Structures are given as C-alpha cells and as structure tokens.
Amino acid sequence: MTTLEIIVLALLQGFTEFLPISSSAHLILPSQLLGWSDQGLAFDVAVHLGTLAAVLHYFRRDVGLISVSWFGSFKGQHDQHSRMGWLIVLATIPAALFGLLIKDFIEVYARSAVVIASTTIIFGLLLWYADAKAKQIKETDQLTVKDVIIIGLAQAIALIPGTSRSGITMTAGLMLGLTRQAAARFSFLISIPIILLAGGYQTLKLLKSEQAVDWTALGLGTVLSFISAYVCIHFFLKVIEKMGMMPFVIYRLALGVFLLAFVFYF
C-alpha cells in the first residue's frame, strides 16, 4: 500500500464507522474507482483497533462506570449502570450469532456494488422515515428489554454491506421513541463489543495466516482511524439535534445512485 492509500482508507474507516452512511459503501469506492488492491487483513485489524480506541476514549467515563457496575452485578450489586451493561450485552448477542452463522455467505454473495448501493438507498430512506415520524421522547435509561432486542436484531441486519451499523441501530432507536442524542449514544456504546469481536476474529485469522506485516502502515492506519473516528463522534453528537438525519439521508441517496450509475453505465 502507498502512503496515500493508507491515509485515505484509514480516514474513510474512521469517519464512516460511526456516521449513519455505511463504511462498507465507502471502502469499496477506492478499489472500484481507482483500482486499488485490497488493503489486507492486517490493515483491517489496525483500523478497527483505531476506531475501537476512539469510542472507548470518548465514552471512557460511561464505559468505566458501566464496566465496574456490570462486574459488580455478579455479586448482587445492581444499579442503572449495571443494567446498561446487561442491555449492551443483550444488544450484542444477535449480531454475534448472525456473524458466526452467515458471515461466510455474506462475504461471498453480498459484497457486490449493486447490493451495497441498494442497501445504502433503502436503509437511507428508512432512516429518513424514522427521523421524521418518530416521537423522540425517551432516554437510554428508559429502554426496555424488548427495545434492546429490536435494536440488537437491527444491528445483526447491518452485517449486510451498505446497511450501516450505526445507521440502522439509530433508525431502530428513533422508531422506538429515543431522542436523536440517546439513539446515537446507545448506538456508539453497543458498537464497542461488536468492534471488539470483529477485531478479535480478524486478529485470529491474521495469526493463522502467513501475511507479511507492514508495521509502519499499521501504525499510521491505527492513528489516523483513531483521530478521524474521535472527531466524527464528537461533532456528530454536537450537531445532531440541530441538523437531524436529513443531510445523511441525502448523502446516502446520492451515494447509492452514484454506485448504481457506476456499475451499469461506466
């Protein structure tokens, strides 16, 4: 990988991992438009590590309180933070199970530009509907087990490329009555175990492979994905109440149409 490729791909991963615009849709663009080769498993692990570090650092206070209380719950000590910990675990289970069961199928049959373009458009329209029609009155501490199961199932659907994990979980949260801030924060919190599981799976594959490792590329990719993901989370939470989801919906529709046009006409 050239330095330019490392910079572009790491920034794309960082910026798109947490915005409701689909990281997979963006990561195919360089290869489709510029003919860049696949970045490789080691680089995937590095940029996932960067985005994981970003969300952990940004929500370090919440993560600390939730983690301590969650472990304390095994000793019978329960509070709002331990409850949130169990809700995060519950929301993770569907995606983890679906990942184990259908990941190989998705890798083979669902990573085409047509699939990604279609899901980018379809779930973009669903995000618009949720943002426009939902009540947006609930906070995260008002989530029920049923609510979290629904959000967890939505997160499992995000295994289909182009869906956007953050986009569909925010959509589900909004439809369940969460405010934009609450939907976004819960989406970011439940991303932590999912990114950790995905990164761990990729790391195991990397350890079993004989792929050469470019440590300079990995270091640069990790740092850039961390910075871009952290900036993305910070500003998204700052402006979401003012601008809503419509700018992201418009962007998704434009991106989906562009991908379809590229596939069929170029």
Side-chain angles (χ1 to χ4, degrees):
M1 296 174 65
T2 67
T3 301
L4 176 62
E5 290 174 352
I6 294 168
I7 293 172
V8 170
L9 292 173
L11 291 178
L12 275 177
Q13 175 66 32
F15 280 124
T16 60
E17 179 69 33
F18 298 110
L19 291 180
I21 56 176
S22 174
S23 59
S24 56
H26 288 79
L27 291 175
I28 71 162
L29 290 176
S31 60
Q32 294 284 333
L33 300 180
L34 305 174
W36 290 0
S37 59
D38 183 80
Q39 61 264 34
L41 185 58
F43 191 78
D44 279 343
V45 171
V47 294
H48 273 87
L49 177 61
T51 54
L52 176 62
V55 70
L56 283 172
H57 183 61
Y58 192 89
F59 292 104
R60 57 192 179 277
R61 183 177 180 276
D62 300 80
V63 171
L65 290 171
I66 290 169
S67 299
V68 171
S69 295
W70 184 75
F71 283 111
S73 69
F74 289 96
K75 300 178 182 179
Q77 302 167 2
H78 300 284
D79 59 18
Q80 61 178 343
H81 301 300
S82 64
R83 181 177 185 273
M84 179 57 64
W86 283 111
L87 292 180
I88 291 171
V89 170
L90 181 60
T92 303
I93 293 173
L97 290 177
F98 274 69
L100 289 173
L101 294 174
I102 64 172
K103 182 174 178 55
D104 291 338
F105 176 85
I106 289 174
E107 289 289 336
V108 174
Y109 297 105
R111 294 195 65 84
S112 71
V114 173
V115 170
I116 292 173
S118 300
T119 52
T120 297
I121 293 172
I122 291 169
F123 289 104
L125 291 172
L126 192 59
L127 177 63
W128 163 76
Y129 180 83
D131 192 47
K133 302 297 182 180
K135 294 181 180 179
Q136 300 182 25
I137 55 175
K138 291 166 61 175
E139 298 298 331
T140 52
D141 58 1
Q142 296 173 278
L143 283 168
T144 65
V145 170
K146 180 182 176 181
D147 292 338
V148 172
I149 291 174
I150 292 172
I151 295 173
L153 291 172
Q155 185 167 232
I157 295 172
L159 290 167
I160 303 171
T163 302
S164 172
R165 191 211 60 81
S166 59
I168 194 169
T169 52
M170 289 182 204
T171 297
L174 290 170
M175 292 295 290
L176 291 166
L178 288 178
T179 65
R180 291 175 183 145
Q181 278 279 339
R185 290 181 69 86
F186 191 68
S187 173
F188 294 152
L189 287 173
I190 64 175
S191 75
I192 293 172
I194 285 298
I195 296 175
L196 188 60
L197 288 171
Y201 174 76
Q202 290 177 317
T203 300
L204 288 175
K205 288 177 62 178
L206 179 61
L207 293 174
K208 293 178 181 179
S209 73
E210 298 180 356
Q211 179 178 321
V213 176
D214 182 348
W215 293 106
T216 301
L218 299 193
L220 181 58
T222 302
V223 171
L224 290 176
S225 62
F226 168 82
I227 294 171
S228 55
Y230 189 90
V231 169
C232 168
I233 295 170
H234 178 75
F235 283 103
F236 183 76
L237 290 174
K238 289 287 186 183
V239 303
I240 189 174
E241 288 299 333
K242 296 179 181 178
M243 66 181 186
M245 297 295 183
M246 185 53 69
F248 303 103
V249 172
I250 294 171
Y251 181 81
R252 285 185 68 124
L253 296 180
L255 177 61
V257 170
F258 172 77
L259 287 173
L260 289 176
F262 181 81
V263 170
F264 292 109
Y265 298 104
F266 293 97

